[in-house]
Amino acid sequence: MSCRAQPKMKTRSLLGVFEEDATAISNYMNQLYQAMHRIYDAQNELSAATHLTSKLLKEYEKQRFPLGGDDEVMSSTLQQFSKVIDELSSCHAVLSTQLADAMMFPITQFKERDLKEILTLKEVFQIASNDHDAAINRYSRLSKKRENDKVKYEVTEDVYTSRKKQHQTMMHYFCALNTLQYKKKIALLEPLLGYMQAQISFFKMGSENLNEQLEEFLANIGTSVQNVRREMDSDIETMQQTIEDLEVASDPLYVPDPDPTKFPVNRNLTRKAGYLNARNKTGLVSSTWDRQFYFTQGGNLMSQARGDVAGGLAMDIDNCSVMAVDCEDRRYCFQITSFDGKKSSILQAESKKDHEEWICTINNISKQIYLSENPEETAARVNQSALEAVTPSPSFQQRHESLRPAAGQSRPPTARTSSSGSLGSESTNLAALSLDSLVAPDTPIQFDIISPVCEDQPGQAKAFGQGGRRTNPFGESGGIIKSETEDSILHQLFIVRFLGSMEVKSDDHPDVVYETMRQILAARAIHNIFRMTESHLLVTCDCLKLIDPQTQVTRLTFPLPCVVLYATHQENKRLFGFVLRTSSGRSESNLSSVCYIFESNNEGEKICDSVGLAKQIALHAELDRRASEKQKEIERVKEKQQKELNKQKQIEKDLEEQSRLIAASSRPNQASSEGQFVVLSSSQSEESDLGEGGKKRESEA
């Protein structure tokens, strides 16, 4: 089916050549008709008209008919006729009856019947093509969400009827154009033959000019005309039978969305062509859809509008990304994004089969499979490898033999891990790792973002084992709680597309990320999952956030301390992933690890560098915080010691004051004789009483 659309444009181009040839034939035959009509009408100008006919016959070889490749015999024959006619032009007389029957009738029939039939069929074909285009446009505008069975049936029936009508009209039109080549020869030769026969019968006295050689030449021409007629009749019968067979065989193809069970999807294509609807934005919110012919040429996607001689470059699809999208309530839409992310195009296919084949073809071209000697075989091998990739192999090292460096070589620097999050030693023996030690068997893969990922509040990474409540990751758009990431030093934004996530059993080596990438990509290829959720990844010193690019709502928040491992793909730098360590269930003592895989616009290494920088900044901030807390604790201890010292000094001072007062109270006679009294405050009296009591206790002891 992929090769069917490519000949469509070739057929259109070839049709233009045939129509140009028909126009040239019509122009030439009109001139010849006028010349012969002058012979019939003007007896006195017969000689001049015959001379003009001879002249036109001589100029036949100068005509540039697009389909005149086999005109050498015809040119030589006409040259011979022109010579004979020129010799007999001086002897022609009144031949009205003979010329009307033998010369004017065949060429008039050709002009009035055959050429007008071509023009009529051309107009009918143009009307059928316009009706088909209108029906296709109505079918393309069918709503995907508000699907009405009655409207869909009417539109589908309209497409079926218009397509069938166009196909039938096209075949009859092509048949008439092919037949015109035979009729052209007959229309040229028959009038000339009749003219010569009329001349022979009329000029009995000019028999000396008609020798045996000329008679033999005319006999051969008559035989050739009969042979051409028989060949034309045979070809017409063959074409009619072909038309009937094609009408029966092509009936299912008139349906715009054929049954996929009868016409399976070919996923091994590296070339494809066909009509697509292209979305063109005309304003901020408005857009138009134009139907054009698209075809692939190497690593390029070409487009050709109707009437153009050749196609033009639409987009470079080497290393591009393609995915199914929802656009303006239209079905079968997909988006192509260039490798640098600067250019994207949204296209709409006619059917689900074309939709999947276009996505598979562009995906194969993006992998540069078309550069191999047998592209379709290579694509089939790649798809078969994807099917076999989900079958667990006994050895992890065998499965990753093509991705690992040779023994003795260092690991490429593209894989980066968190220095603070990895628990195991980086010198782990990879050869001893098995598949079950990395990814749990029969682990389900999640291809969409639907659930929260951590138990912590956004921006607050709690220690494992402490209690915490689960927060709704979709409730962060209300603006009630101000995020702590607003005060973060680092803010970097990247465009990413979520590929999938799955639980892993280990989080201490980048091969965990590589294995997860392989299984998710293989599962997507097997289950025909092309849709990817595009988000903005915000990297801060506190967390990683997935933000909806349309509504700016935070979809998911990944606390940075929970990100224990991150790495990019060793070959495809657009793929990257990270492992998030969380507590499973309510018991946070039971930890689990989930690996998330994303595709970026060729920024995988930049994202990993940004995450590494964020973790370093967070580490230094944590060290500074601990140092600050330690300094504050030292100051609090010093302040407490100073308070204790001041209190001790105050107590000693109070004791000295009490001792002085006690000493003063031990001299009462001297105080009474002098008439002096010592007034004690309540506190001093209490302290003095305590002091006297202490002295009594000492004396009793």
Side-chain angles (χ1 to χ4, degrees), residues 148-206:
N148 190 325
D149 294 336
K150 181 179 179 181
V151 175
K152 181 180 179 182
Y153 174 79
E154 292 176 357
V155 174
T156 304
E157 190 68 20
D158 191 13
V159 173
Y160 172 85
T161 304
S162 61
R163 184 170 288 178
K164 183 175 182 180
K165 180 180 177 182
Q166 183 198 27
H167 192 199
Q168 293 175 346
T169 306
M170 176 185 66
M171 289 188 293
H172 289 289
Y173 182 37
F174 291 175
C175 179
L177 288 175
N178 291 330
T179 309
L180 182 64
Q181 301 303 315
Y182 298 102
K183 292 182 178 180
K184 177 190 70 173
K185 298 178 181 180
I186 295 173
L188 283 171
L189 298 177
E190 260 192 346
L192 298 176
L193 181 61
Y195 175 79
M196 295 304 301
Q197 289 175 347
Q199 293 288 351
I200 294 173
S201 64
F202 183 79
F203 290 104
K204 294 295 184 178
M205 294 185 298

Side-chain angles (χ1 to χ4, degrees), residues 84-152:
V84 176
I85 294 172
D86 187 56
E87 294 176 357
L88 298 177
S89 60
S90 59
C91 301
H92 284 177
V94 181
L95 299 175
S96 58
T97 304
Q98 293 85 349
L99 294 180
D101 295 335
M103 183 179 67
M104 295 305 299
F105 180 76
I107 194 170
T108 302
Q109 285 289 95
F110 177 78
K111 179 177 178 294
E112 298 296 330
R113 182 185 63 187
D114 299 327
L115 293 181
K116 284 187 177 181
E117 180 186 6
I118 293 295
L119 295 177
T120 303
L121 288 175
K122 181 179 179 180
E123 293 177 358
V124 173
F125 173 72
Q126 187 63 39
I127 294 173
S129 298
N130 295 335
D131 293 343
H132 175 256
D133 292 342
I136 284 295
N137 288 332
R138 288 194 298 272
Y139 176 80
S140 300
R141 291 194 299 269
L142 280 177
S143 176
K144 180 181 178 182
K145 298 179 180 178
R146 300 186 300 273
E147 190 168 349
N148 190 325
D149 294 336
K150 181 179 179 181
V151 175
K152 181 180 179 182

Side-chain angles (χ1 to χ4, degrees), residues 541-575:
C541 299
D542 302 318
C543 60
L544 309 180
K545 282 188 176 183
L546 284 180
I547 302 174
D548 192 317
Q550 301 294 332
T551 62
Q552 300 302 315
V553 174
T554 301
R555 290 173 172 166
L556 283 181
T557 300
F558 306 96
L560 196 61
C562 296
V563 180
V564 297
L565 181 66
Y566 49 92
T568 58
H569 197 277
Q570 291 177 319
E571 296 178 356
N572 188 352
K573 302 304 180 183
R574 295 181 299 172
L575 299 180

